[in-house]
Amino acid sequence: MDYFKDLAELLKIEKLEDQAQYKKLTESASIGERRASGLTWYPVAIRGQELGRGDYLTVEFERTTHQDLPHQFRFGVPAVLFSNHDAKTDRLEGTITYQGGNRLKINFRTDELPDWSRDGKLGIDVLFDNNSYEEMFSTLKKAENDESDISRVLKGEKAPTFYLQENKYHNAQLNTFQNEAVNNVLNANHLSIIHGPPGTGKTTTIVQAIKALIDKKNEKILVVAPSNTAVDLLTEKLSAAGLNVIRLGNPARVSEELQAQTVEGRIKNHPSFKDIKTWKKQANEYKNMAHKYKRNFGKAERDQRKALFDEAHKLMKEVEKIEEYIIEDLSNKAQVVTATLVGSNHYSMKNINYDTVVIDEAGQGIEPACWIPILKGKKLILAGDHCQLPPTIKSQEASAKGLSNTLLEKLTVKYPEAVTLLQTQYRMNEQIMAHSSKTFYGNLLKAHESVANHQLSTAHPPVQFIDTAGCGFEEKLEGTSSTNPEEAAFLVKRLEELVNNFSEMTMPSIAVISPYKQQIQLLKEFISASSILQPWQSFISINTIDSFQGQERDAVFISMTRSNSDGEIGFVADTRRMNVAMTRARKLLVVVGDSATIGNFPYYSDFIQYAESIDTYKSAWEYLS
């Protein structure tokens, strides 16, 4: 069938673009530049080493400076240890087996570190992640020949079916739509979709649906999401609901509770782990003894060295057998296994099959990655909102040809009978919600009475659009990013006016958002330079839209940035991104922008008209004069 061949073709285009961007970022970049891009840890110190899986060396490193810089190091990704004395020849490749905080472990296909590693000036580069692509390509090949019911439903060859329970599920803690979603999950033979707009309690619904599947049907469930952060949240919530959960891979949040849920954490707490410790220690001692022999030794020493290595090897084989026994034991007892999409193929549980696979944040996962967990289950639950952030795709060609069209979008359109829309939201004042509800959710969203009318104060109407048209706030292009210094300064003034109305006891949480990284940089500089805002820095978060997905604040200020005579708005035209930005606000949404530029687009002209209709449209001139 061409379905999977077409997907593989799109994935190939994406991989080539991803490789080209990686190459561009790395081949002529200095260590400092690579470090700033999140591709390098330098300097690092060795904090420990031991024999790992496959009798290879596992080394733990810590980055000793620049610890606040974000990075792209994560479990399962290839990395290379290098020495700055000679970065061309002093290199050793391996795979990251653990990453938490400022430490990571790398498994090297060798039994000892090279001599140059003792001379200091060490760093680690993250390499291009070919592994994830290989996993996706081999999965698409498998899917091509998969004739299971779930595959046929997803390919559109067979409609999903439902059976009706005799006793309808009802949980007093859930609202009507959430209960309906859980019933849909319980009734589905192949597919159920939970469409969760902002603030509608999607995560709560997923957790209760999983609990119901286990309580009523004793199912074994795989729960996945595209990002580590989303997987961590689900792991915490499912565990708090009293379920036996195992987390594959490494959590992004380095909490003791989450570490204890990982395969590694569970192995350490297993009664048989003491045997692993004893034998690993003995194997390491044999290895150390073997390494003490110098390079120029005779036959007797060579034989002795070989005998020591053989003994260490035998012990590590025993260690692997015990690990396999423990993993099998853990897997048999686990009710839920959680992982990222690609991480669901973790070596420890690669061949396990599940009754149900749940994909959360399904609107952010590209389809080839989603098939990795799908092939492990008989039934699929998709949860997410295709009206919020789309997947990150690096190739414009692959995106235009359909890679950005997610499985969630396709199946929501194809099988509306499988979809439950959660319609009660618990976050926003109804005026903040109204534009989003009308544009994306057919006016079906309703604000719960506990939030419908909440606002910061009567002096602050919940929605404000401040129009900078005609003020001369022209955008500037910096590299590939836009900035608008006058608009940034204007927004900071409005922020200063807001905080002057509150004390430490009443200060709201505030988000300052822009679609453009350079504008964010500018806003950060202006806000940290403001003597009025200085004491309130801990209440203010400043970042791009993408980083606020899933979060909320009392007040949200958005700098639209774009202002030009051509009416060019670039990726501000992606209305799903703006849906995310505007729906982060609980009690106050302030949008600052140039109506002459953004008002040519229906989404924004509708929003401006909406602000006028509720009498909260203002011109920036009113403030400037």
Side-chain angles (χ1 to χ4, degrees):
M1 176 163 180
D2 288 343
Y3 187 89
F4 293 106
K5 285 195 172 76
D6 293 347
L7 270 180
E9 204 45 52
L10 294 178
L11 190 62
K12 195 173 164 187
I13 297 168
E14 171 67 0
K15 181 187 172 182
L16 289 171
E17 177 58 28
D18 198 359
Q19 268 177 324
Q21 288 188 20
Y22 174 84
K23 202 172 171 195
K24 195 175 165 191
L25 261 178
T26 54
E27 61 184 8
S28 58
S30 67
I31 284 184
E33 287 165 337
R34 295 200 311 272
R35 183 168 57 196
S37 303
L39 299 170
T40 298
W41 278 13
Y42 182 84
V44 297
I46 295 171
R47 292 293 182 237
Q49 42 186 299
E50 60 172 19
L51 288 173
R53 286 189 65 74
D55 212 13
Y56 295 128
L57 187 68
T58 296
V59 183
E60 182 172 12
F61 298 93
E62 182 177 18
R63 62 170 169 175
T64 50
T65 67
H66 300 82
Q67 294 182 334
D68 55 334
L69 287 181
H71 61 82
Q72 296 178 36
F73 289 79
R74 62 185 192 279
F75 172 84
V77 170
V80 62
L81 175 69
F82 66 86
S83 150
N84 206 17
H85 292 292
D86 188 348
K88 281 191 172 63
T89 58
D90 296 350
R91 294 170 68 79
L92 183 64
E93 283 189 28
T95 304
I96 297 171
T97 57
Y98 167 83
Q99 193 285 309
N102 289 298
R103 292 196 174 215
L104 56 76
K105 290 180 184 178
I106 300 179
N107 189 249
F108 295 107
R109 287 182 168 266
T110 180
D111 54 20
E112 61 182 322
L113 283 173
D115 292 340
W116 53 259
S117 67
R118 298 175 187 87
D119 300 333
K121 293 185 102 174
L122 296 179
I124 301 168
D125 279 335
V126 67
L127 296 177
F128 179 74
D129 183 13
N130 210 28
N131 301 353
S132 295
Y133 283 104
E134 290 313 310
E135 290 278 16
M136 288 189 270
F137 282 121
S138 71
T139 295
L140 291 176
K141 267 200 163 52
K142 267 190 233 158
E144 218 173 312
N145 304 313
D146 187 62
E147 283 304 313
S148 65
D149 280 353
I150 183 63
S151 281
R152 292 182 60 213
V153 166
L154 301 191
K155 289 184 283 188
E157 295 170 359
K158 171 183 174 165
T161 61
F162 298 82
Y163 74 93
L164 293 173
Q165 309 138 245
E166 287 173 26
N167 300 313
K168 268 193 97 174
Y169 172 91
H170 180 77
N171 182 333
Q173 293 173 310
L174 301 183
N175 66 42
T176 308
F177 305 106
Q178 292 170 331
N179 272 311
E180 198 181 304
V182 177
N183 274 297
N184 198 337
V185 165
L186 288 168
N187 293 341
N189 290 320
H190 311 106
L191 173 70
S192 178
I193 298 171
I194 301 171
H195 183 184
T200 52
K202 172 177 61 75
T203 305
T204 303
T205 310
I206 295 169
V207 170
Q208 292 310 316
I210 290 166
K211 211 167 172 329
L213 286 170
I214 291 166
D215 291 346
K216 289 179 178 292
K217 300 183 173 183
N218 198 27
E219 288 198 5
K220 191 173 188 71
I221 298 175
L222 173 64
V223 178
V224 292
S227 72
N228 273 303
T229 313
V231 178
D232 290 348
L233 176 67
L234 283 163
T235 306
E236 283 169 347
K237 300 269 187 195
L238 289 162
S239 189
L243 298 172
N244 184 339
V245 187
I246 290 186
R247 163 77 154 97
L248 303 185
N250 296 130
R253 305 178 188 177
V254 195
S255 69
E256 272 181 50
E257 293 81 7
L258 272 174
Q259 295 298 338
Q261 306 286 5
T262 62
V263 174
E264 291 73 15
R266 289 300 191 88
I267 289 173
K268 279 181 184 164
N269 291 324
H270 195 277
S272 301
F273 182 66
K274 58 181 186 303
D275 298 331
I276 289 182
K277 270 179 93 174
T278 307
W279 288 356
K280 263 192 177 178
K281 188 179 174 197
Q282 185 65 61
N284 275 314
E285 281 170 10
Y286 283 143
K287 283 247 169 161
N288 290 337
M289 285 159 69
H291 289 316
K292 282 184 179 140
Y293 288 97
K294 299 290 174 225
R295 298 287 173 195
N296 51 345
F297 42 67
K299 184 181 181 309
E301 287 88 351
R302 194 175 292 110
D303 288 348
Q304 183 60 28
R305 178 180 163 107
K306 184 180 181 309
L308 287 165
F309 274 130
D310 286 348
E311 278 307 309
H313 185 66
K314 272 184 211 158
L315 286 172
M316 288 309 290
K317 280 281 169 225
E318 287 304 314
V319 165
E320 271 186 38
K321 274 185 202 161
I322 300 173
E323 267 188 9
E324 279 164 20
Y325 156 72
I326 293 175
I327 286 167
E328 193 176 337
D329 186 40
L330 292 171
S331 154
N332 289 337
K333 288 174 183 164
Q335 294 168 303
V336 184
V337 173
T338 62
T340 57
L341 297 169
V342 177
S344 62
N345 249 1
H346 191 278
Y347 73 87
S348 61
M349 299 192 186
K350 202 175 176 76
N351 300 317
I352 293 175
N353 291 318
Y354 301 85
D355 298 300
T356 297
V357 172
V358 179
I359 304 182
D360 188 22
E361 303 294 5
Q364 287 182 60
I366 59 170
E367 187 174 343
C370 289
W371 278 94
I372 298 171
I374 287 168
L375 291 182
K376 297 174 184 291
K378 299 176 202 154
K379 184 165 84 176
L380 175 65
I381 315 297
L382 292 177
D385 181 11
H386 49 285
C387 305
Q388 292 190 62
L389 288 183
T392 302
I393 293 170
K394 298 191 174 171
S395 160
Q396 285 183 340
E397 184 191 348
S399 182
K401 286 182 173 173
L403 193 61
S404 60
N405 192 8
T406 63
L407 205 49
L408 178 68
E409 273 178 279
K410 289 179 188 174
L411 297 174
T412 299
V413 173
K414 194 187 290 269
Y415 302 125
E417 69 275 23
V419 183
T420 310
L421 174 70
L422 303 180
Q423 295 179 31
T424 307
Q425 68 83 15
Y426 298 86
R427 176 186 298 164
M428 297 162 269
N429 179 294
E430 60 190 4
Q431 288 191 350
I432 297 173
M433 173 202 77
H435 179 59
S436 175
S437 179
K438 182 185 170 196
T439 310
F440 296 101
Y441 310 108
N443 254 335
L444 292 171
L445 271 195
K446 296 286 175 279
H448 188 260
E449 59 189 23
S450 60
V451 301
N453 299 305
H454 68 182
Q455 57 191 95
L456 289 185
S457 74
T458 50
H460 299 96
V463 176
Q464 297 171 29
F465 176 71
I466 306 178
D467 189 357
T468 63
C471 294
F473 293 180
E474 286 289 310
E475 66 178 84
K476 296 170 175 54
L477 195 63
E478 300 215 2
T480 56
S481 192
S482 294
T483 66
N484 192 324
E486 286 93 349
E487 183 178 291
F490 178 83
L491 185 146
V492 170
K493 277 269 177 276
R494 308 292 71 77
L495 197 50
E496 289 174 343
E497 287 165 9
L498 179 80
V499 302
N500 278 334
N501 289 295
F502 297 94
S503 66
E504 195 167 347
M505 298 299 287
T506 59
M507 184 62 64
S509 59
I510 300 166
V512 178
I513 300 176
S514 170
Y516 293 96
K517 279 184 182 157
Q518 288 300 121
Q519 184 75 342
I520 288 297
Q521 212 32 59
L522 211 52
L523 285 159
K524 281 181 176 172
E525 286 167 21
F526 288 176
I527 287 170
S528 60
S530 162
S531 56
I532 296 171
L533 297 176
Q534 207 103 52
W536 309 114
Q537 303 277 341
S538 62
F539 291 88
I540 305 168
S541 313
I542 314 151
N543 222 321
T544 56
I545 295 168
D546 296 40
S547 64
F548 278 107
Q549 169 90 343
Q551 297 187 47
E552 54 189 77
R553 296 290 188 276
D554 293 324
V556 169
F557 284 72
I558 302 175
S559 168
M560 295 302 297
T561 309
R562 301 307 296 257
S563 178
N564 56 71
S565 52
D566 303 323
E568 284 286 324
I569 65 168
F571 65 71
V572 172
D574 184 346
T575 55
R576 291 181 294 185
R577 271 202 158 73
M578 286 314 298
N579 186 34
V580 171
M582 290 190 186
T583 55
R584 299 309 93 200
R586 295 189 195 110
K587 301 174 180 179
L588 173 66
L589 170 66
V590 180
V591 180
V592 180
D594 177 356
S595 66
T597 302
I598 63 172
N600 298 319
F601 292 79
Y603 175 80
Y604 296 108
S605 62
D606 286 354
F607 176 69
I608 294 164
Q609 277 173 14
Y610 169 63
E612 285 172 339
S613 75
I614 56 171
D615 202 23
T616 59
Y617 167 93
K618 286 194 170 183
S619 165
W621 282 107
E622 295 175 44
Y623 296 93
L624 297 173
S625 57

